[in-house]
Amino acid sequence: MIRVIARKELRELVRDGRFQLGGALMVLLQVAALLFGWRHTTAMQAERVAAQTVARSAWTTQGDKNPHLAAHYGMYVFKPAATLAFLDPGTDAFVGVTLKLQAHEQELPHDAAASDGTAVGRFGQLSAAAVLQLLVPLLIIALGFALWSGERERGTLRQLAASGVHPRQLLAGKALGLGVALLLLLLPAVLVAGLALAVGGDAGAWTRFAALVPAYGLYFGVIIAVTLWVSARAASSRTALVALLGLWCATSLVVPRLASDVAGRAVPLPTAEVLARRVHATLAQGLPQGLPREEHIDKISKALLAKQGFAGAESMMDDALLQGLELQAEAEYENAVFDYHVTALLAAMARQERVAQWAAALSPLLAIRSLSMALAGTDFDHHRAFAQQAEQFRRSLVLAMNDDFARNAGAAGWQYKANRQLWQQAAPFALQPPALGQVWADQQVAWTMLAAWMVAAGLGATLAARRMQVV
Amino acid sequence: MLWTVVRMDARNVRAEVSAWLALLLLATGVTYAAWSGAAAVHADRQAVATALTEQQTRMRDLQVRLHAVQAGQKQATSTEDPSDPALVGSTLAAVWAVLPQLPLASVAVGQRDLAAARVRITTQGPSGRSLQSDRPMTGPTRLLTGAFDLAFVLVALLPLVIIVLTYDLLAGERERGTLALVLAHPVSLATFVLGKALQRGLLLGSVTLGLALLAVAATVDGPWTSDDAVRMLLYLGTLMAYVGFWFAAAVAINVRGQTSAGNALALIGLWLALVVIVPGIVQVAVQATHPPPSRVELVNLTRAAASEIEAELSDLQGNHGADGKGTPAQNAQAATERLVAVQVALEKRAAPVLQAFGTQLAAQQALVNALRFLSPAIVLQEALGDVAGNGGHRLQQFHSQVDEFGQRWRNFFFSRVSARQRLTVADYAALPQFVFREESLPALGTRVGAGLMGLLLPTLLLIGWAGVGLRRGVRVM
């Protein structure tokens, strides 16, 4: 029975002018957004890979010099683009991609593409994800607002009720018909995306893509259920349409910006200058509730000595060894300061994101947006992983340089020069994106909310169908 | 007769719950956006004030120390010598170049949350500029979402309120069966439609105008000049033209004689096209034809071009003061001179790259300027950014003036380093000062005025189209 109803609804939809026009436009936009996204992402990735190669060779060919000076010379790293960024560029344009890793300083990634953008950038990006998140729901509303109310207005609902079909079957049939119609429209985009992945995707990208499909399926399920719910409850098709459009505006336009604004207020962040000033002050004076700078460095230095089995034997050690250890003690002190301020900043930003995520209770769009960016590897958590891994890499690089100084400088002291061999020993920076399990855990609020929306909207639609007035 | 229609429709609107609701939501949105915008502007002003106070204290301390050193009361340490031009120019006297907030700043965040509007000027060279700028830190997802500012409410939400007020302007009367009844009276269809549109237009126009004025009046901060009055006029004029455009579109669609649901869909479709899709396509077009110059490449170009120079530079900086031969003083002077030479060379190599970068950005902005006429929403967004002083133009001008000023700053100190001069009290009085030169009012007026024309022209076309439709007549049942 459900199949018969679904087939009838599908046939009607496909013959509808709104479906043909809206659908054609959507397919066009989808495919165009995908192709442009693919071109943009591959170009960006090629550029960053090239830049990374140049930066690497600048490091390895820097010539013979003292290893600590090499740590000062530093190394640039560039954030690699996520493969699925062509589907959902997420925060890509708004985060820094460049980092200089050097002794004594922790940088935050800088050079975000959006800072060189224009006013049109403020309208949001026209990505495949934006089409799916914003436009497809509108299409569902346009196709489905009259599915119940229209039957009632034409008087066919009474006939249906008289025929003894259970309202639940009717509902399932209508939802299925709408879903299949939608599937027809999304198929070309899925094929294009799959083709792109077949060309340039790895196994990880396929897994993430495979996780994206059911996530969006759930989102569209929510929209279909809400549409049928409102259509069943509304007094007329017109009321149903106006209510649904109002809901769309509230959930897609107002709630996201409002939630973002509230999150900004709930978890305030310092300005860049204030942060820099705090870091410098702490570097000079020592951590709050900790030892003053010199004592702290001394303590680390002693611990390092003890670890190497030289405790109390400073006078017997050669100068360079001592100096190398002191440099490392200083670096470790600085790392503690950076941990205190910068890691705290990144954590605060992440907290801000979580606050905004809770607003998904008011807008399913926020849930799917968050999930989609996370699965595409373009959300803030992925960016934070880059910033933190790069910092770890910086620390091990500085450690390796100071270590070489301590071990090999000997009597030459600051005149000691290391060569290419040492530079090449430092492995190139390789970003390890968070594993899917981690993404799943980070996105707990988002997928719980999406599932909750599905349950609530499904229940609402079922109840509304059962209690519907037929005339 | 027109007046009768207006009065009748006013009574109708007063009885419509949806109209009240829409207006209430608009008022709430404007109020919240104004409050939030004002808070952000206020916080920003405070941050600037704190930075400038710190800068003043630092400068005064430097001069006091300089007096003491010159009077021989105090020995200057090498890391804090207020008469050492290299040291003072690169760190001790670093100054802020600030893009001032205009009184209308709370109207639109514009590009201000993305591009630097405060830059720390030192002799360290232009390639490091992005690192030394200050702005409120904003999480990337918040930047992606965009601010809930007045511009958002006016550009995106206001048209939706207009749609709520107008989608059933004519269709509603027909569906209720009152259209035939009304037209049986001695009133022409044109007068009837005009009266209704006028009534709702005046209502919404005055509410919007009042809210827009109130929002600005409640948040205006800082001195008010005649230039600001012109900006205010441009702001309100463009806003009213935008309202006019959406009313004209609503009337034109109503006249086509569809059902009210059909009108609502058509109007939402138009809104979607103009507020979401066209701006998106324009952005894609701009990216495809004028790809924003890549900062990633810029980093490498500057680094590769100056790799050996920079290596030398970091040698000097990382030396931790242990070099060997020569007296410390001689070494220090030689090192400083080499450092300056290195920096001058570095800058020379980076200059063409940076120049090309600036040209590309300007070309991109020019293209957006031309393409904005494709959507009234882009026109209004740009205009609001312009009058708020947070638009792309003003920020680009700021950046080029900062580059210019940085050059002056470096010349001031580098010339003294090369001449082996120490800084004197007179030098401190003569330090270069950054003052932002505003874009001339005619230039701003021309740009925003062109946008205004870009709103009025499609409005007139829509009115003409509606007129033709009205003359042909509509279904009454």
Side-chain angles (χ1 to χ4, degrees):
Chain A
M1 195 64 213
I2 295 176
R3 266 234 299 275
V4 178
I5 301 166
R7 207 169 316 140
K8 174 246 166 199
E9 292 294 348
L10 181 62
R11 196 170 305 138
E12 266 187 15
L13 276 175
V14 173
R15 285 177 188 161
D16 189 347
R18 281 184 307 220
F19 176 84
Q20 290 164 2
L21 181 70
L25 273 175
M26 213 197 57
V27 171
L28 202 69
L29 273 176
Q30 278 275 20
V31 173
L34 278 173
L35 290 178
F36 180 77
W38 179 252
R39 210 186 79 155
H40 185 68
T41 309
T42 41
M44 199 161 66
Q45 178 60 5
E47 178 188 285
R48 293 188 195 167
V49 168
Q52 197 60 74
T53 317
V54 174
R56 172 78 186 164
S57 91
W59 166 259
T60 52
T61 60
Q62 60 179 314
D64 297 356
K65 65 174 71 149
N66 184 285
H68 187 72
L69 299 192
H72 270 267
Y73 175 68
M75 188 194 287
Y76 273 99
V77 294
F78 302 95
K79 184 184 174 188
T83 314
L84 288 179
F86 77 98
L87 276 175
D88 189 347
T91 63
D92 252 11
F94 300 90
V95 296
V97 293
T98 312
L99 261 181
K100 188 179 180 190
L101 310 179
Q102 58 183 334
H104 308 302
E105 268 173 60
Q106 175 178 9
E107 268 188 0
L108 285 172
H110 49 87
D111 293 346
S115 48
D116 295 319
T118 56
V120 281
R122 302 272 65 172
F123 287 91
Q125 309 152 316
L126 194 67
S127 62
V131 175
L132 291 175
Q133 291 165 16
L134 282 173
L135 306 193
V136 171
L138 264 186
L139 191 68
I140 295 177
I141 291 173
L143 296 178
F145 73 93
L147 276 183
W148 282 123
S149 54
E151 299 256 18
R152 191 166 44 219
E153 281 158 10
R154 286 193 304 270
T156 44
L157 194 57
R158 193 205 288 256
Q159 290 173 8
L160 278 174
S163 72
V165 186
H166 196 278
R168 223 178 17 236
Q169 283 182 319
L170 263 178
L171 176 72
K174 283 175 184 296
L176 196 65
L178 194 51
V180 173
L182 199 63
L183 208 60
L184 288 179
L185 296 180
L186 293 176
L187 217 54
V190 175
L191 284 179
V192 171
L195 210 63
L197 274 184
V199 174
D202 48 14
W206 277 108
T207 325
R208 281 162 175 259
F209 182 65
L212 270 174
V213 174
Y216 274 103
L218 200 58
Y219 176 60
F220 298 144
V222 170
I223 309 290
I224 290 176
V226 169
T227 304
L228 286 170
W229 182 2
V230 173
S231 180
R233 291 292 308 267
S236 68
S237 294
R238 175 182 124 158
T239 321
L241 179 65
V242 172
L244 284 167
L245 291 179
L247 265 179
W248 179 85
C249 292
T251 54
S252 320
L253 289 176
V254 179
V255 172
R257 293 211 188 210
L258 213 51
S260 161
D261 205 272
V262 169
R265 238 169 265 289
V267 187
L269 301 175
T271 74
E273 165 65 11
V274 168
L275 178 74
R277 226 181 299 148
R278 282 185 198 156
V279 170
H280 278 127
T282 314
L283 276 177
Q285 290 152 14
L287 286 160
Q289 285 128 30
L291 296 169
R293 176 191 168 96
E294 297 307 328
E295 286 174 42
H296 195 152
I297 294 181
D298 213 43
K299 194 175 136 198
I300 299 174
S301 183
K302 289 220 170 79
L304 282 175
L305 276 171
K307 213 165 98 193
Q308 310 230 349
F310 289 118
E314 288 96 330
S315 53
M316 289 159 58
M317 292 169 60
D318 75 46
D319 232 24
L321 186 54
L322 206 58
Q323 219 154 25
L325 282 179
E326 264 164 19
L327 280 174
Q328 188 47 35
E330 191 187 357
E332 282 181 19
Y333 167 72
E334 287 159 358
N335 293 347
V337 174
F338 298 146
D339 274 342
Y340 181 75
H341 286 294
V342 183
T343 313
L345 173 80
L346 291 174
M349 281 185 171
R351 233 174 16 254
Q352 226 179 38
E353 304 265 322
R354 299 283 175 267
V355 172
Q357 249 179 12
W358 279 105
L362 299 174
S363 156
L365 174 110
L366 280 176
I368 187 66
R369 192 183 73 170
S370 185
L371 268 176
S372 171
M373 288 196 293
L375 288 170
T378 53
D379 69 340
F380 176 72
D381 290 321
H382 281 73
H383 180 67
R384 185 157 73 128
F386 164 68
Q388 285 175 336
Q389 286 178 30
E391 173 61 10
Q392 287 314 316
F393 180 78
R394 182 190 78 82
R395 292 179 184 187
S396 58
L397 184 74
V398 171
L399 173 66
M401 294 302 119
N402 288 339
D403 218 36
D404 184 75
F405 187 112
R407 271 178 221 287
N408 304 324
W414 279 101
Q415 299 302 318
Y416 161 70
K417 287 191 162 79
N419 58 27
R420 201 183 167 123
Q421 232 182 338
L422 178 65
W423 316 147
Q424 272 172 340
Q425 271 171 25
F429 174 69
L431 177 66
Q432 268 310 313
L436 215 51
Q438 183 61 45
V439 172
W440 187 248
D442 286 339
Q443 292 301 315
Q444 200 183 357
V445 175
W447 59 257
T448 317
M449 286 294 172
L450 197 57
W453 267 96
M454 187 69 248
V455 171
L459 268 178
T462 317
L463 283 181
R466 204 177 300 162
R467 291 189 193 155
M468 195 165 25
Q469 312 256 318
V470 289
V471 211
Chain B
M1 201 62 209
L2 184 67
W3 189 234
T4 316
V5 176
V6 168
R7 268 188 313 186
M8 182 204 81
D9 194 52
R11 275 200 294 274
N12 275 345
V13 170
R14 245 175 283 154
E16 268 177 40
V17 182
S18 61
W20 281 107
L21 207 63
L23 288 176
L24 183 70
L25 283 176
L26 179 67
T28 316
V30 167
T31 312
Y32 182 82
W35 172 71
S36 168
V41 171
H42 183 69
D44 200 61
R45 280 180 206 269
Q46 292 226 303
V48 171
T50 315
L52 290 183
T53 315
E54 185 273 334
Q55 176 177 322
Q56 245 172 13
T57 324
R58 189 158 35 89
M59 291 295 190
R60 221 181 18 242
D61 282 358
L62 279 175
Q63 294 183 47
V64 169
R65 282 219 308 273
L66 184 64
H67 270 296
V69 170
Q70 282 183 338
Q73 297 163 345
K74 221 168 127 185
Q75 193 66 39
T77 57
S78 64
T79 53
E80 297 206 338
D81 183 354
S83 68
D84 177 353
L87 193 62
V88 172
S90 66
T91 48
L92 298 185
V95 287
W96 287 105
V98 178
L99 177 65
Q101 295 265 23
L102 292 180
L104 292 182
S106 62
V107 168
V109 169
Q111 306 294 101
R112 200 181 263 265
D113 57 347
L114 290 169
R118 288 201 287 283
V119 181
R120 198 179 173 80
I121 306 289
T122 69
T123 51
Q124 306 273 331
S127 52
R129 195 182 70 197
S130 61
L131 310 182
Q132 298 171 332
S133 63
D134 182 29
R135 62 163 164 265
M137 279 203 227
T138 315
T141 315
R142 294 197 58 214
L143 291 175
L144 165 74
T145 311
F148 198 101
D149 57 355
L150 208 50
F152 164 69
V153 176
L154 298 177
V155 171
L157 301 186
L158 178 61
L160 294 170
V161 173
I162 297 178
I163 291 175
V164 170
L165 282 179
T166 53
Y167 75 100
D168 62 348
L169 193 72
L170 207 52
E173 301 271 355
R174 186 172 49 235
E175 282 157 17
R176 285 190 298 271
T178 43
L179 185 59
L181 208 64
V182 168
L183 292 182
H185 289 79
V187 55
S188 73
L189 178 66
T191 314
F192 183 59
V193 170
L194 187 67
K196 288 195 73 155
L198 208 61
Q199 194 281 130
R200 286 162 199 242
L202 285 178
L203 171 70
L204 189 84
S206 52
V207 168
T208 310
L209 197 65
L211 285 172
L213 270 170
L214 268 180
V216 170
T219 59
V220 150
D221 204 345
W224 184 266
T225 64
S226 59
D227 285 14
D228 295 318
V230 176
R231 286 196 190 95
M232 186 81 186
L233 282 179
L234 288 172
Y235 159 52
L236 297 177
T238 316
L239 182 58
M240 287 301 110
Y242 190 64
V243 170
F245 168 83
W246 281 103
F247 264 96
V251 170
I253 284 178
N254 261 285
V255 166
R256 289 186 325 147
Q258 296 279 327
T259 61
S260 51
N263 287 346
L265 274 181
L267 281 167
I268 279 286
L270 185 69
W271 177 89
L272 195 66
L274 295 182
V275 180
V276 178
I277 297 176
V278 171
I281 291 177
V282 167
Q283 201 196 358
V284 167
V286 169
Q287 273 186 353
T289 57
H290 289 60
S294 149
R295 296 251 171 211
V296 165
E297 225 161 298
L298 186 70
V299 165
N300 262 328
L301 279 175
T302 3
R303 175 110 159 166
S307 135
E308 75 274 27
I309 300 177
E310 224 185 23
E312 202 174 339
L313 191 69
S314 59
D315 269 5
L316 292 169
Q317 286 169 339
N319 213 325
H320 290 242
D323 206 323
K325 298 148 253 152
T327 70
Q330 277 172 342
N331 277 343
Q333 177 63 26
T336 312
E337 278 174 33
R338 259 166 72 206
L339 205 72
V340 167
V342 160
Q343 245 163 16
V344 170
L346 185 71
E347 221 167 281
K348 245 187 212 138
R349 296 217 200 167
V353 180
L354 285 169
Q355 180 105 40
F357 198 83
T359 316
Q360 181 75 328
L361 281 183
Q364 192 185 338
Q365 182 67 48
L367 184 66
V368 172
N369 256 8
L371 291 182
R372 75 190 148 140
F373 295 112
L374 290 177
S375 157
I378 309 180
V379 170
L380 184 64
Q381 176 82 20
E382 286 247 300
L384 293 180
D386 273 337
V387 297
N390 297 331
H393 282 276
R394 193 159 177 262
L395 277 151
Q396 268 180 23
Q397 279 181 343
F398 173 66
H399 290 153
S400 72
Q401 288 182 25
V402 162
D403 286 343
E404 221 172 88
F405 178 72
Q407 194 65 49
R408 261 172 65 207
W409 184 262
R410 282 188 294 278
N411 288 345
F412 182 86
F413 289 100
F414 286 175
S415 64
R416 282 164 178 76
V417 171
S418 332
R420 302 195 173 178
Q421 281 172 353
R422 307 306 281 179
L423 292 177
T424 63
V425 178
D427 283 335
Y428 270 91
L431 279 182
Q433 303 281 335
F434 180 83
V435 181
F436 180 67
R437 299 184 303 282
E438 290 287 351
E439 181 182 24
S440 76
L441 217 47
L444 176 79
T446 313
R447 197 170 58 246
V448 180
L452 196 59
M453 290 302 127
L455 289 178
L456 291 177
L457 193 67
T459 307
L460 288 177
L461 286 176
L462 282 169
I463 291 177
W465 189 39
V468 172
L470 279 176
R471 189 161 307 164
R472 245 193 329 219
V474 295
R475 284 189 304 126
V476 293
M477 298 289 271

